[in-house]
Amino acid sequence: MAEERLSALRKGMTVLSADEKPVGHVLEVFPYVGLVETFGEVGIPPQQEGHDPVNYAYSEAMPGVGDSYLTVREQQGSVLYVPFSAVSSADGDRATLAVDAESIPAMAWNVRPDALASREQDYPEDAGADPKKA
């Protein structure tokens, strides 16, 4: 499990790409976000504002399949939501991604995952998904 292997992740660590280029610094670590139930490709849970039962795709068969995340402040100031599965190692004061620097923009890590929708106020400059839309 990624959470066990990467328990060394912590705020302030330097983040490097797989090709050893600086990416930024860890802002926060969310190690247990991936353990919550996931709600499918579309729809939001009934207790969340904007719930539309037509688009609701919750499945009891999918608990715990989501990933956990760390937020990274890039050198140019933007925020990345990096899944634990994209971190190859975390030692001392640095974390290394499993992705080279050139590939990072294609990963869409600038989009806040639904599991962290409540962090909208903390990172207003990101491209977070609208939690009220499927």
Side-chain angles (χ1 to χ4, degrees):
M1 176 184 282
E3 283 82 358
E4 292 170 4
R5 284 187 301 114
L6 300 173
S7 61
L9 285 170
R10 66 183 188 290
K11 183 177 182 174
M13 293 180 90
T14 298
V15 179
L16 303 173
S17 62
D19 51 352
E20 298 284 318
K21 295 184 180 168
V23 176
H25 290 87
V26 176
L27 290 175
E28 289 186 81
V29 179
F30 301 95
Y32 302 107
V33 164
L35 299 179
V36 299
E37 294 174 314
T38 59
F39 292 93
E41 302 255 339
V42 297
I44 56 178
Q47 67 273 21
Q48 190 170 341
E49 182 182 339
H51 169 70
D52 179 357
V54 172
N55 290 323
Y56 190 57
Y58 175 76
S59 170
E60 291 287 347
M62 298 186 332
V65 298
D67 210 335
S68 294
Y69 294 87
L70 62 141
T71 52
V72 175
R73 173 78 64 195
E74 287 187 288
Q75 292 184 332
Q76 62 269 32
S78 56
V79 174
L80 297 177
Y81 296 91
V82 180
F84 274 26
S85 60
V87 179
S88 62
S89 67
D91 299 310
D93 65 347
R94 63 187 250 174
T96 304
L97 301 177
V99 176
D100 63 21
E102 188 176 299
S103 300
I104 290 174
M107 303 306 294
W109 290 338
N110 63 321
V111 177
R112 183 178 45 257
D114 289 340
L116 296 176
S118 65
R119 305 310 294 228
E120 182 176 11
Q121 307 307 327
D122 298 331
Y123 307 111
E125 73 281 355
D126 71 14
D130 184 343
K132 297 177 184 170
K133 292 183 182 175

